[in-house]
Amino acid sequence: MAKAEDLPFLLRPAGLVLIVGLLTALKMFAAANAHLVEDEAYYRIWGLFPALSYYDHPPMIGWWISAGQAVFGDTIFAVRALVVFSGLVGSLALWRTAAILFDQRTAGWAVLFLNASLLVGIGGILATPDAPSVVFWGLTFWALAELSRSGNANWWLVVGLMAGCGLLSKYSVLFLGAGIVLWLLWVPEARRWWSAWQLWAGGLVALLCFSPVLYWNHLHEWASFYKQFGRAGGGGFTAKYTFEFLGALIGLLNPLIAVLALFGAATLFKALRARDSAASLVLLTSLPFLIYLTYHSLHARVQANWPAPLFPALALMAAVYVANLAREQHFWRRIAAAGVGIGVGVAILVQLHAVTPFTGQFARKDPTFQLRGWDEIGAQLDELAKAEGAAYVVTTSYGLNGQIDFLMRGDLPVIQLTERIRYIMSPQPTTELFEAPGLYITEKRRDKSGDLQKSFSTVEELGVLERRVKGVPLEEIAVYRVQGPVGPVFEPISYR
């Protein structure tokens, strides 16, 4: 095993602390100063109203945001604070896991590759369910590595706790459980754990952690399960989404690191065939989720963020290959160094661009376009609300509802009239509220003012606001005056 003093500086713990610390400081700056994207603005409302679970996902990201709000108030940084911190925890867990299963050289490369992946480097500030899902998946993997190294069955209790917290983050962690079962069946020395009471107790711990989600779904006709697991259904077969999925996976991992990960997977596969415990643990815990994502891509689009929990394992695969290169294999060492350099460089540029755009010429083709122009929109809406004497704001899409709710921050109630199941954790508005005048705000491309005429006697357009970045138009937002309910204002809550 390589000793720390024999390693290049950036692969030593001190070097890794330096680079991860600097990247974290940059993320903290961006997290505090870049506006929220739509999903983050929506999850911010979860933080204001902590619940056992929610319609879209399990509750962990809502709980994280709520904790941040308790410390930092109702701010952008509060929404993202624990997400940024989780990146440090994830890097530490990956280093320890790789050092246990392989050596410190592999551990150093794994941490560098993870932080140089575009998904982590660029998206590492975003408060979505993927953030806790990735860190608890990684912590479960770390506990399994400690179990494998020490032979101490009590580590199964930690595995269960971390996996249970992962299930409180996102349902996809169920596939990690399937991978653990594969490892227990495949590796001869791992089969002895089937007779250990700690294994079954760990499973019970995971189930107990997950019980709030089960109870919430029981109370709400299993709505969240229907929504999420319904995606696994059928439809006709097509290859177009598969190529899109693979392209996004390679691009967000970092193309150079993806090539190294492929070679590393091949190296580990040889050891897997010999039923090596470490190689089997890396590959088999990743395999079920990868198979599912590939299957899903044969029917429908795989969102770019879905494979995020696999990224630590993919970084570790790349590290296994690079750490075992012969001294004369300079080309692949340069590829590894270039992958880290390019990934970190792009991450720095994009984080700075997220705060202060370098250009607006890419308009909506810029991945950061959701961050732009909201302060100006908020100021204009505030003026309109005062001029009209508005007592409330209504919307018909969850993303815009989240953005407007953040801009208003308690000055006026902001209410999505559709998809009311998304907000059952919060106090429900009374019908008397709608007797007063209000504003209906909508993206022009999603305008449902015609539908509102069935609910209000007055639906009058006041104007169209334009969200811009450096003078370049991004989106038109229509504002209507509404008043006088003449029919049901809300859509009935639907659990399907």
Side-chain angles (χ1 to χ4, degrees):
M1 177 180 289
K3 296 180 180 179
E5 57 268 23
D6 299 328
L7 299 175
F9 176 70
L10 281 184
L11 296 181
R12 299 179 192 175
L16 296 171
V17 167
L18 176 64
I19 191 167
V20 174
L22 290 173
L23 289 174
T24 301
L26 176 63
K27 289 177 184 178
M28 290 178 67
F29 169 72
N33 293 283
H35 195 83
L36 302 172
V37 302
E38 286 186 352
D39 280 0
E40 289 183 294
Y42 171 54
Y43 297 134
R44 165 192 159 268
I45 299 174
W46 291 16
L48 296 174
F49 302 101
L52 294 178
S53 193
Y54 301 90
Y55 172 59
D56 306 79
H57 293 288
M60 187 62 77
I61 189 60
W63 295 354
W64 278 21
I65 292 171
S66 185
Q69 290 167 334
V71 177
F72 301 107
D74 191 6
T75 62
I76 291 174
F77 184 70
V79 172
R80 295 168 169 159
L82 281 181
V83 172
V84 176
F85 176 73
S86 75
L88 292 174
V89 175
S91 291
L92 178 61
L94 180 59
W95 185 90
R96 176 64 179 169
T97 301
I100 290 171
L101 296 180
F102 301 99
D103 55 33
Q104 288 196 27
R105 180 181 297 275
T106 304
W109 278 114
V111 171
L112 289 178
F113 287 152
L114 178 65
N115 284 274
S117 66
L118 301 187
L119 183 70
V120 173
I122 295 172
I125 69 169
L126 298 181
T128 69
D130 298 293
S133 171
V134 169
V135 75
F136 286 119
W137 187 301
L139 287 170
T140 306
F141 191 32
W142 155 72
L144 286 166
E146 295 282 6
L147 169 77
S148 180
R149 179 190 68 89
S150 68
N152 185 342
N154 291 327
W155 278 104
W156 278 116
L157 304 178
V158 183
V159 170
L161 178 61
M162 295 299 104
C165 290
L167 288 171
L168 282 172
S169 305
K170 208 168 182 183
Y171 297 125
S172 54
V173 177
L174 287 167
F175 291 101
L176 175 59
I180 293 172
V181 171
L182 286 179
W183 177 69
L184 288 169
L185 293 172
W186 180 256
V187 177
E189 60 263 35
R191 292 174 193 157
R192 63 192 173 101
W193 297 122
W194 289 109
S195 60
W197 67 265
Q198 291 94 333
L199 167 65
W200 304 100
L204 180 60
V205 169
L207 182 61
L208 289 173
C209 288
F210 192 52
S211 60
V213 179
L214 295 173
Y215 183 65
W216 184 95
N217 274 276
H218 166 69
L219 294 179
H220 299 95
E221 301 182 19
W222 308 100
S224 183
F225 288 171
Y226 276 104
K227 174 180 170 60
Q228 293 297 338
F229 296 119
R231 292 176 172 177
F237 283 95
T238 176
K240 66 177 182 179
Y241 296 120
T242 303
F243 292 112
E244 181 184 288
F245 158 57
L246 293 175
L249 179 63
I250 291 169
L252 289 175
L253 179 59
N254 179 324
L256 296 180
I257 296 174
V259 172
L260 300 173
L262 182 63
F263 290 149
T267 300
L268 290 172
F269 182 73
K270 295 177 183 177
L272 171 73
R273 294 176 62 185
R275 299 181 186 262
D276 175 77
S277 181
S280 300
L281 194 58
V282 176
L283 292 177
L284 294 181
T285 54
S286 306
L287 188 61
F289 192 34
L290 184 60
I291 290 174
Y292 164 71
L293 292 173
T294 304
Y295 168 77
H296 188 97
S297 74
L298 294 172
H299 301 279
R301 176 169 283 111
V302 173
Q303 299 300 323
N305 58 298
W306 290 2
L310 298 177
F311 276 48
L314 292 171
L316 180 51
M317 293 176 198
V320 165
Y321 179 71
V322 174
N324 289 283
L325 287 171
R327 289 185 178 274
E328 63 271 13
Q329 292 179 288
H330 301 297
F331 174 76
W332 291 111
R333 294 182 187 278
R334 294 191 186 102
I335 291 293
V340 172
I342 291 172
V344 170
V346 170
I348 291 171
L349 289 175
V350 173
Q351 297 287 10
L352 294 175
H353 175 64
V355 176
T356 304
F358 302 142
T359 179
Q361 294 306 308
F362 295 108
R364 289 180 66 88
K365 292 181 180 179
D366 182 342
T368 67
F369 83 93
Q370 284 193 28
L371 307 172
R372 310 301 180 194
W374 288 109
D375 289 338
E376 295 79 4
I377 292 294
Q380 294 174 68
L381 289 176
D382 186 59
E383 290 181 7
L384 273 173
K386 290 176 180 176
E388 296 297 323
Y392 57 87
V393 170
V394 294
T395 68
T396 47
S397 68
Y398 80 89
L400 183 62
N401 189 85
Q403 294 284 23
I404 303 302
D405 191 81
F406 178 71
L407 294 174
M408 295 296 181
R409 285 214 275 294
D411 291 341
L412 291 178
V414 180
I415 306 157
Q416 183 180 345
L417 300 180
T418 54
E419 301 181 298
R420 290 303 303 166
I421 190 174
R422 293 182 182 272
Y423 307 98
I424 56 178
M425 72 287 186
S426 60
Q428 299 302 299
T430 61
T431 55
E432 289 77 12
L433 174 67
F434 300 105
E435 298 292 342
L439 299 180
Y440 169 55
I441 303 173
T442 179
E443 300 101 329
K444 196 69 175 173
R445 59 195 168 92
R446 294 173 175 166
D447 194 330
K448 295 185 178 180
S449 56
D451 294 345
L452 266 65
Q453 291 175 359
K454 302 173 185 176
S455 302
F456 294 93
S457 59
T458 299
V459 182
E460 174 189 356
E461 184 171 337
L462 298 175
V464 176
L465 311 180
E466 197 167 59
R467 192 159 62 86
R468 293 171 168 265
V469 54
K470 287 189 171 290
V472 177
L474 292 175
E475 184 147 51
E476 291 184 330
I477 296 176
V479 183
Y480 293 82
R481 182 177 185 271
V482 295
Q483 189 174 7
V486 295
V489 175
F490 297 119
E491 284 185 359
I493 291 179
S494 173
Y495 294 102
R496 295 289 184 272

